[in-house]
mmCIF file of all heavy atoms in Angstrom:
data_model
loop_
_atom_site.group_PDB
_atom_site.id
_atom_site.type_symbol
_atom_site.label_atom_id
_atom_site.label_comp_id
_atom_site.label_asym_id
_atom_site.label_seq_id
_atom_site.Cartn_x
_atom_site.Cartn_y
_atom_site.Cartn_z
ATOM 1 N N VAL A 37 -4.049 -5.207 -0.216
ATOM 2 C CA VAL A 37 -2.770 -5.081 0.489
ATOM 3 C C VAL A 37 -3.052 -5.398 1.947
ATOM 4 O O VAL A 37 -4.087 -4.991 2.487
ATOM 5 C CB VAL A 37 -2.192 -3.654 0.354
ATOM 6 C CG1 VAL A 37 -0.938 -3.490 1.209
ATOM 7 C CG2 VAL A 37 -1.887 -3.333 -1.107
ATOM 8 N N GLN A 39 -1.559 -5.865 6.163
ATOM 9 C CA GLN A 39 -0.582 -5.411 7.143
ATOM 10 C C GLN A 39 -0.772 -6.219 8.416
ATOM 11 O O GLN A 39 -1.785 -6.064 9.111
ATOM 12 C CB GLN A 39 -0.752 -3.911 7.419
ATOM 13 C CG GLN A 39 0.301 -3.324 8.318
ATOM 14 C CD GLN A 39 0.224 -1.807 8.361
ATOM 15 O OE1 GLN A 39 -0.854 -1.217 8.311
ATOM 16 N NE2 GLN A 39 1.382 -1.163 8.426
ATOM 17 N N GLN A 43 3.505 -4.704 11.739
ATOM 18 C CA GLN A 43 4.411 -4.945 10.618
ATOM 19 C C GLN A 43 4.175 -3.974 9.472
ATOM 20 O O GLN A 43 3.328 -3.081 9.560
ATOM 21 C CB GLN A 43 4.243 -6.390 10.124
ATOM 22 C CG GLN A 43 4.487 -7.444 11.174
ATOM 23 C CD GLN A 43 5.872 -7.345 11.776
ATOM 24 O OE1 GLN A 43 6.877 -7.333 11.052
ATOM 25 N NE2 GLN A 43 5.964 -7.283 13.098
ATOM 26 N N GLY A 44 4.920 -4.169 8.395
ATOM 27 C CA GLY A 44 4.811 -3.307 7.237
ATOM 28 C C GLY A 44 3.720 -3.745 6.280
ATOM 29 O O GLY A 44 2.873 -4.594 6.598
ATOM 30 N N LEU A 45 3.749 -3.149 5.093
ATOM 31 C CA LEU A 45 2.720 -3.388 4.084
ATOM 32 C C LEU A 45 3.144 -4.511 3.146
ATOM 33 O O LEU A 45 4.296 -4.569 2.711
ATOM 34 C CB LEU A 45 2.496 -2.103 3.279
ATOM 35 C CG LEU A 45 2.076 -0.885 4.097
ATOM 36 C CD1 LEU A 45 2.108 0.372 3.242
ATOM 37 C CD2 LEU A 45 0.686 -1.092 4.688
ATOM 38 N N TRP A 47 1.739 -6.382 -0.396
ATOM 39 C CA TRP A 47 0.783 -6.528 -1.485
ATOM 40 C C TRP A 47 0.320 -7.983 -1.556
ATOM 41 O O TRP A 47 1.133 -8.899 -1.423
ATOM 42 C CB TRP A 47 1.426 -6.105 -2.801
ATOM 43 C CG TRP A 47 0.618 -6.479 -3.994
ATOM 44 C CD1 TRP A 47 -0.475 -5.831 -4.490
ATOM 45 C CD2 TRP A 47 0.837 -7.612 -4.848
ATOM 46 N NE1 TRP A 47 -0.947 -6.499 -5.602
ATOM 47 C CE2 TRP A 47 -0.156 -7.584 -5.838
ATOM 48 C CE3 TRP A 47 1.775 -8.644 -4.860
ATOM 49 C CZ2 TRP A 47 -0.241 -8.550 -6.837
ATOM 50 C CZ3 TRP A 47 1.700 -9.607 -5.854
ATOM 51 C CH2 TRP A 47 0.706 -9.550 -6.821
ATOM 52 N N TYR A 50 -3.903 -8.511 -7.194
ATOM 53 C CA TYR A 50 -4.203 -7.464 -8.184
ATOM 54 C C TYR A 50 -5.225 -8.001 -9.164
ATOM 55 O O TYR A 50 -5.194 -9.186 -9.539
ATOM 56 C CB TYR A 50 -2.928 -7.099 -8.920
ATOM 57 C CG TYR A 50 -3.119 -6.414 -10.262
ATOM 58 C CD1 TYR A 50 -3.098 -5.031 -10.351
ATOM 59 C CD2 TYR A 50 -3.303 -7.154 -11.435
ATOM 60 C CE1 TYR A 50 -3.266 -4.391 -11.579
ATOM 61 C CE2 TYR A 50 -3.468 -6.527 -12.663
ATOM 62 C CZ TYR A 50 -3.441 -5.141 -12.736
ATOM 63 O OH TYR A 50 -3.612 -4.523 -13.941
ATOM 64 N N PHE A 59 -3.111 -11.203 -10.504
ATOM 65 C CA PHE A 59 -1.806 -11.617 -9.996
ATOM 66 C C PHE A 59 -1.911 -11.780 -8.478
ATOM 67 O O PHE A 59 -2.704 -11.096 -7.831
ATOM 68 C CB PHE A 59 -0.726 -10.580 -10.303
ATOM 69 C CG PHE A 59 -0.449 -10.378 -11.770
ATOM 70 C CD1 PHE A 59 -0.684 -9.160 -12.369
ATOM 71 C CD2 PHE A 59 0.046 -11.412 -12.545
ATOM 72 C CE1 PHE A 59 -0.423 -8.949 -13.707
ATOM 73 C CE2 PHE A 59 0.305 -11.219 -13.891
ATOM 74 C CZ PHE A 59 0.064 -9.980 -14.478
ATOM 75 N N TYR A 95 -6.468 -4.237 3.269
ATOM 76 C CA TYR A 95 -6.897 -2.989 2.656
ATOM 77 C C TYR A 95 -7.281 -3.201 1.189
ATOM 78 O O TYR A 95 -6.559 -3.887 0.451
ATOM 79 C CB TYR A 95 -5.772 -1.956 2.686
ATOM 80 C CG TYR A 95 -5.345 -1.501 4.055
ATOM 81 C CD1 TYR A 95 -4.176 -1.979 4.638
ATOM 82 C CD2 TYR A 95 -6.090 -0.554 4.755
ATOM 83 C CE1 TYR A 95 -3.758 -1.535 5.888
ATOM 84 C CE2 TYR A 95 -5.688 -0.108 6.009
ATOM 85 C CZ TYR A 95 -4.523 -0.606 6.559
ATOM 86 O OH TYR A 95 -4.115 -0.160 7.796
ATOM 87 N N GLU A 99 -5.580 1.611 -7.803
ATOM 88 C CA GLU A 99 -4.282 1.982 -8.326
ATOM 89 C C GLU A 99 -4.381 2.676 -9.670
ATOM 90 O O GLU A 99 -5.272 2.442 -10.471
ATOM 91 C CB GLU A 99 -3.373 0.766 -8.449
ATOM 92 C CG GLU A 99 -3.662 -0.131 -9.640
ATOM 93 C CD GLU A 99 -2.417 -0.910 -10.019
ATOM 94 O OE1 GLU A 99 -2.097 -1.892 -9.324
ATOM 95 O OE2 GLU A 99 -1.761 -0.541 -11.009
ATOM 96 N N GLY A 101 -1.086 3.044 -11.249
ATOM 97 C CA GLY A 101 0.380 2.970 -11.137
ATOM 98 C C GLY A 101 0.700 2.856 -9.660
ATOM 99 O O GLY A 101 0.895 1.774 -9.130
ATOM 100 N N ALA A 102 0.746 3.981 -8.988
ATOM 101 C CA ALA A 102 0.851 3.970 -7.519
ATOM 102 C C ALA A 102 -0.525 3.684 -6.929
ATOM 103 O O ALA A 102 -1.544 3.703 -7.614
ATOM 104 C CB ALA A 102 1.378 5.317 -7.033
ATOM 105 N N PHE A 103 -0.534 3.435 -5.634
ATOM 106 C CA PHE A 103 -1.780 3.092 -4.937
ATOM 107 C C PHE A 103 -2.379 4.374 -4.374
ATOM 108 O O PHE A 103 -1.982 4.830 -3.301
ATOM 109 C CB PHE A 103 -1.485 2.086 -3.826
ATOM 110 C CG PHE A 103 -1.066 0.722 -4.326
ATOM 111 C CD1 PHE A 103 -0.731 -0.271 -3.434
ATOM 112 C CD2 PHE A 103 -1.028 0.424 -5.686
ATOM 113 C CE1 PHE A 103 -0.356 -1.543 -3.865
ATOM 114 C CE2 PHE A 103 -0.650 -0.833 -6.145
ATOM 115 C CZ PHE A 103 -0.316 -1.819 -5.229
ATOM 116 N N ASP A 104 -3.357 4.946 -5.069
ATOM 117 C CA ASP A 104 -3.754 6.305 -4.738
ATOM 118 C C ASP A 104 -4.883 6.437 -3.729
ATOM 119 O O ASP A 104 -4.994 7.479 -3.085
ATOM 120 C CB ASP A 104 -4.044 7.115 -6.011
ATOM 121 C CG ASP A 104 -5.134 6.512 -6.875
ATOM 122 O OD1 ASP A 104 -5.667 5.441 -6.532
ATOM 123 O OD2 ASP A 104 -5.451 7.133 -7.918
ATOM 124 N N TRP A 106 -6.965 4.224 -0.524
ATOM 125 C CA TRP A 106 -6.999 3.059 0.342
ATOM 126 C C TRP A 106 -8.282 3.070 1.167
ATOM 127 O O TRP A 106 -8.732 4.124 1.616
ATOM 128 C CB TRP A 106 -5.809 3.080 1.303
ATOM 129 C CG TRP A 106 -4.456 3.045 0.673
ATOM 130 C CD1 TRP A 106 -3.923 3.962 -0.200
ATOM 131 C CD2 TRP A 106 -3.449 2.066 0.883
ATOM 132 N NE1 TRP A 106 -2.645 3.599 -0.552
ATOM 133 C CE2 TRP A 106 -2.324 2.435 0.097
ATOM 134 C CE3 TRP A 106 -3.366 0.901 1.655
ATOM 135 C CZ2 TRP A 106 -1.141 1.679 0.070
ATOM 136 C CZ3 TRP A 106 -2.201 0.158 1.636
ATOM 137 C CH2 TRP A 106 -1.096 0.544 0.849
ATOM 138 N N GLY A 107 -8.841 1.892 1.384
ATOM 139 C CA GLY A 107 -9.947 1.783 2.320
ATOM 140 C C GLY A 107 -9.428 1.812 3.748
ATOM 141 O O GLY A 107 -8.225 1.882 3.990
ATOM 142 N N GLN A 108 -10.337 1.744 4.700
ATOM 143 C CA GLN A 108 -9.972 1.769 6.109
ATOM 144 C C GLN A 108 -9.476 0.417 6.603
ATOM 145 O O GLN A 108 -8.868 0.323 7.667
ATOM 146 C CB GLN A 108 -11.157 2.219 6.958
ATOM 147 C CG GLN A 108 -11.467 3.693 6.823
ATOM 148 C CD GLN A 108 -10.272 4.540 7.212
ATOM 149 O OE1 GLN A 108 -9.713 4.437 8.298
ATOM 150 N NE2 GLN A 108 -9.849 5.424 6.294
ATOM 151 N N ALA B 45 6.973 5.341 -5.405
ATOM 152 C CA ALA B 45 5.988 6.091 -4.624
ATOM 153 C C ALA B 45 6.363 6.082 -3.148
ATOM 154 O O ALA B 45 7.069 5.177 -2.681
ATOM 155 C CB ALA B 45 4.597 5.485 -4.811
ATOM 156 N N TYR B 47 4.503 6.584 0.778
ATOM 157 C CA TYR B 47 3.267 6.586 1.542
ATOM 158 C C TYR B 47 3.561 6.960 2.985
ATOM 159 O O TYR B 47 4.637 6.645 3.521
ATOM 160 C CB TYR B 47 2.592 5.209 1.514
ATOM 161 C CG TYR B 47 2.288 4.709 0.131
ATOM 162 C CD1 TYR B 47 3.252 4.014 -0.601
ATOM 163 C CD2 TYR B 47 1.058 4.947 -0.474
ATOM 164 C CE1 TYR B 47 2.998 3.575 -1.892
ATOM 165 C CE2 TYR B 47 0.791 4.502 -1.754
ATOM 166 C CZ TYR B 47 1.772 3.819 -2.458
ATOM 167 O OH TYR B 47 1.502 3.382 -3.736
ATOM 168 N N GLN B 49 1.947 6.629 6.900
ATOM 169 C CA GLN B 49 0.947 5.973 7.739
ATOM 170 C C GLN B 49 1.113 6.443 9.175
ATOM 171 O O GLN B 49 2.119 6.177 9.820
ATOM 172 C CB GLN B 49 1.060 4.454 7.668
ATOM 173 C CG GLN B 49 -0.090 3.747 8.398
ATOM 174 C CD GLN B 49 -0.042 2.241 8.279
ATOM 175 O OE1 GLN B 49 1.027 1.637 8.184
ATOM 176 N NE2 GLN B 49 -1.216 1.606 8.284
ATOM 177 N N GLN B 53 -4.009 4.657 11.517
ATOM 178 C CA GLN B 53 -4.636 5.163 10.306
ATOM 179 C C GLN B 53 -4.225 4.346 9.090
ATOM 180 O O GLN B 53 -3.285 3.553 9.127
ATOM 181 C CB GLN B 53 -4.284 6.638 10.090
ATOM 182 C CG GLN B 53 -4.816 7.560 11.171
ATOM 183 C CD GLN B 53 -4.636 9.026 10.803
ATOM 184 O OE1 GLN B 53 -4.419 9.385 9.638
ATOM 185 N NE2 GLN B 53 -4.727 9.889 11.813
ATOM 186 N N THR B 54 -4.941 4.575 8.022
ATOM 187 C CA THR B 54 -4.661 3.906 6.775
ATOM 188 C C THR B 54 -3.502 4.591 6.064
ATOM 189 O O THR B 54 -3.275 5.794 6.264
ATOM 190 C CB THR B 54 -5.936 3.920 5.904
ATOM 191 O OG1 THR B 54 -5.847 2.954 4.880
ATOM 192 C CG2 THR B 54 -6.193 5.277 5.311
ATOM 193 N N PRO B 55 -2.727 3.873 5.271
ATOM 194 C CA PRO B 55 -1.664 4.547 4.509
ATOM 195 C C PRO B 55 -2.229 5.582 3.546
ATOM 196 O O PRO B 55 -3.357 5.437 3.048
ATOM 197 C CB PRO B 55 -1.006 3.385 3.748
ATOM 198 C CG PRO B 55 -1.317 2.175 4.552
ATOM 199 C CD PRO B 55 -2.685 2.413 5.110
ATOM 200 N N ARG B 56 -1.430 6.610 3.283
ATOM 201 C CA ARG B 56 -1.836 7.686 2.377
ATOM 202 C C ARG B 56 -0.726 7.915 1.363
ATOM 203 O O ARG B 56 0.445 8.010 1.741
ATOM 204 C CB ARG B 56 -2.101 8.963 3.182
ATOM 205 C CG ARG B 56 -2.405 10.184 2.331
ATOM 206 C CD ARG B 56 -2.796 11.378 3.149
ATOM 207 N NE ARG B 56 -1.697 11.986 3.892
ATOM 208 C CZ ARG B 56 -1.627 13.271 4.196
ATOM 209 N NH1 ARG B 56 -2.571 14.102 3.784
ATOM 210 N NH2 ARG B 56 -0.623 13.740 4.913
ATOM 211 N N LEU B 57 -1.102 8.030 0.100
ATOM 212 C CA LEU B 57 -0.121 8.315 -0.944
ATOM 213 C C LEU B 57 0.382 9.747 -0.793
ATOM 214 O O LEU B 57 -0.408 10.695 -0.755
ATOM 215 C CB LEU B 57 -0.753 8.122 -2.321
ATOM 216 C CG LEU B 57 0.127 8.462 -3.523
ATOM 217 C CD1 LEU B 57 1.324 7.515 -3.617
ATOM 218 C CD2 LEU B 57 -0.703 8.419 -4.810
ATOM 219 N N TYR B 60 4.235 10.228 -6.002
ATOM 220 C CA TYR B 60 4.320 9.181 -7.007
ATOM 221 C C TYR B 60 5.238 9.637 -8.129
ATOM 222 O O TYR B 60 5.577 10.822 -8.226
ATOM 223 C CB TYR B 60 2.926 8.784 -7.541
ATOM 224 C CG TYR B 60 2.169 9.898 -8.216
ATOM 225 C CD1 TYR B 60 2.204 10.051 -9.599
ATOM 226 C CD2 TYR B 60 1.403 10.797 -7.476
ATOM 227 C CE1 TYR B 60 1.505 11.068 -10.224
ATOM 228 C CE2 TYR B 60 0.705 11.818 -8.089
ATOM 229 C CZ TYR B 60 0.763 11.946 -9.460
ATOM 230 O OH TYR B 60 0.061 12.966 -10.065
ATOM 231 N N TYR B 98 6.677 4.654 3.941
ATOM 232 C CA TYR B 98 7.016 3.499 3.111
ATOM 233 C C TYR B 98 7.285 3.944 1.680
ATOM 234 O O TYR B 98 6.557 4.780 1.144
ATOM 235 C CB TYR B 98 5.868 2.487 3.074
ATOM 236 C CG TYR B 98 5.513 1.859 4.390
ATOM 237 C CD1 TYR B 98 4.505 2.392 5.190
ATOM 238 C CD2 TYR B 98 6.168 0.710 4.833
ATOM 239 C CE1 TYR B 98 4.164 1.800 6.400
ATOM 240 C CE2 TYR B 98 5.829 0.115 6.042
ATOM 241 C CZ TYR B 98 4.839 0.674 6.815
ATOM 242 O OH TYR B 98 4.501 0.079 8.014
ATOM 243 N N GLN B 100 7.634 2.402 -2.329
ATOM 244 C CA GLN B 100 7.111 1.285 -3.114
ATOM 245 C C GLN B 100 7.530 1.452 -4.563
ATOM 246 O O GLN B 100 7.424 2.550 -5.122
ATOM 247 C CB GLN B 100 5.583 1.242 -3.043
ATOM 248 C CG GLN B 100 4.950 0.100 -3.831
ATOM 249 C CD GLN B 100 3.509 0.403 -4.251
ATOM 250 O OE1 GLN B 100 3.144 1.548 -4.472
ATOM 251 N NE2 GLN B 100 2.683 -0.627 -4.340
ATOM 252 N N TYR B 102 6.814 0.444 -8.508
ATOM 253 C CA TYR B 102 5.755 -0.110 -9.355
ATOM 254 C C TYR B 102 6.226 -0.171 -10.806
ATOM 255 O O TYR B 102 5.447 -0.034 -11.746
ATOM 256 C CB TYR B 102 4.439 0.667 -9.203
ATOM 257 C CG TYR B 102 4.517 2.156 -9.410
ATOM 258 C CD1 TYR B 102 4.210 2.726 -10.626
ATOM 259 C CD2 TYR B 102 4.869 2.994 -8.353
ATOM 260 C CE1 TYR B 102 4.248 4.103 -10.811
ATOM 261 C CE2 TYR B 102 4.915 4.359 -8.522
ATOM 262 C CZ TYR B 102 4.605 4.906 -9.749
ATOM 263 O OH TYR B 102 4.660 6.266 -9.917
ATOM 264 N N TRP B 105 6.666 -5.528 -12.027
ATOM 265 C CA TRP B 105 5.686 -6.211 -11.165
ATOM 266 C C TRP B 105 4.943 -7.258 -11.948
ATOM 267 O O TRP B 105 4.941 -7.241 -13.167
ATOM 268 C CB TRP B 105 4.715 -5.178 -10.579
ATOM 269 C CG TRP B 105 3.979 -4.398 -11.632
ATOM 270 C CD1 TRP B 105 4.434 -3.326 -12.352
ATOM 271 C CD2 TRP B 105 2.642 -4.646 -12.070
ATOM 272 N NE1 TRP B 105 3.456 -2.896 -13.223
ATOM 273 C CE2 TRP B 105 2.351 -3.676 -13.079
ATOM 274 C CE3 TRP B 105 1.671 -5.590 -11.730
ATOM 275 C CZ2 TRP B 105 1.122 -3.633 -13.724
ATOM 276 C CZ3 TRP B 105 0.439 -5.540 -12.383
ATOM 277 C CH2 TRP B 105 0.179 -4.572 -13.365
ATOM 278 N N PRO B 106 4.251 -8.217 -11.285
ATOM 279 C CA PRO B 106 4.137 -8.289 -9.822
ATOM 280 C C PRO B 106 5.408 -8.826 -9.184
ATOM 281 O O PRO B 106 6.173 -9.531 -9.849
ATOM 282 C CB PRO B 106 2.976 -9.277 -9.629
ATOM 283 C CG PRO B 106 3.025 -10.149 -10.850
ATOM 284 C CD PRO B 106 3.477 -9.278 -11.966
ATOM 285 N N PRO B 107 5.632 -8.555 -7.891
ATOM 286 C CA PRO B 107 4.787 -7.716 -7.057
ATOM 287 C C PRO B 107 5.246 -6.262 -7.039
ATOM 288 O O PRO B 107 6.405 -5.964 -7.341
ATOM 289 C CB PRO B 107 4.993 -8.354 -5.674
ATOM 290 C CG PRO B 107 6.417 -8.818 -5.705
ATOM 291 C CD PRO B 107 6.680 -9.250 -7.133
ATOM 292 N N LYS B 108 4.366 -5.369 -6.667
ATOM 293 C CA LYS B 108 4.726 -3.965 -6.452
ATOM 294 C C LYS B 108 5.206 -3.865 -5.006
ATOM 295 O O LYS B 108 4.435 -3.616 -4.094
ATOM 296 C CB LYS B 108 3.537 -3.054 -6.715
ATOM 297 C CG LYS B 108 3.127 -3.063 -8.188
ATOM 298 C CD LYS B 108 2.028 -2.051 -8.497
ATOM 299 C CE LYS B 108 1.704 -2.080 -9.992
ATOM 300 N NZ LYS B 108 0.692 -1.074 -10.368
ATOM 301 N N PHE B 110 7.003 -3.076 -1.399
ATOM 302 C CA PHE B 110 7.184 -1.995 -0.450
ATOM 303 C C PHE B 110 8.506 -2.157 0.284
ATOM 304 O O PHE B 110 8.987 -3.282 0.481
ATOM 305 C CB PHE B 110 6.077 -2.004 0.600
ATOM 306 C CG PHE B 110 4.707 -1.693 0.079
ATOM 307 C CD1 PHE B 110 3.851 -2.711 -0.318
ATOM 308 C CD2 PHE B 110 4.254 -0.385 0.015
ATOM 309 C CE1 PHE B 110 2.574 -2.434 -0.777
ATOM 310 C CE2 PHE B 110 2.982 -0.090 -0.446
ATOM 311 C CZ PHE B 110 2.147 -1.112 -0.846
ATOM 312 N N GLN B 112 10.453 -1.629 4.013
ATOM 313 C CA GLN B 112 10.018 -2.055 5.346
ATOM 314 C C GLN B 112 9.561 -0.890 6.213
ATOM 315 O O GLN B 112 9.027 -1.100 7.309
ATOM 316 C CB GLN B 112 11.142 -2.830 6.050
ATOM 317 C CG GLN B 112 12.221 -1.957 6.676
ATOM 318 C CD GLN B 112 13.262 -1.451 5.702
ATOM 319 O OE1 GLN B 112 13.067 -1.438 4.481
ATOM 320 N NE2 GLN B 112 14.403 -1.035 6.239
#
Side-chain angles (χ1 to χ4, degrees):
Chain A
V37 174
Q39 186 170 36
Q43 302 302 307
L45 302 171
W47 168 80
Y50 160 95
F59 296 117
Y95 295 103
E99 77 156 77
F103 292 178
D104 59 358
W106 299 60
Q108 288 302 305
Chain B
Y47 303 86
Q49 187 177 31
Q53 296 189 18
T54 198
R56 175 174 72 150
L57 177 65
Y60 61 96
Y98 297 94
Q100 180 205 30
Y102 53 96
W105 58 280
K108 293 186 178 183
F110 294 93
Q112 80 279 18

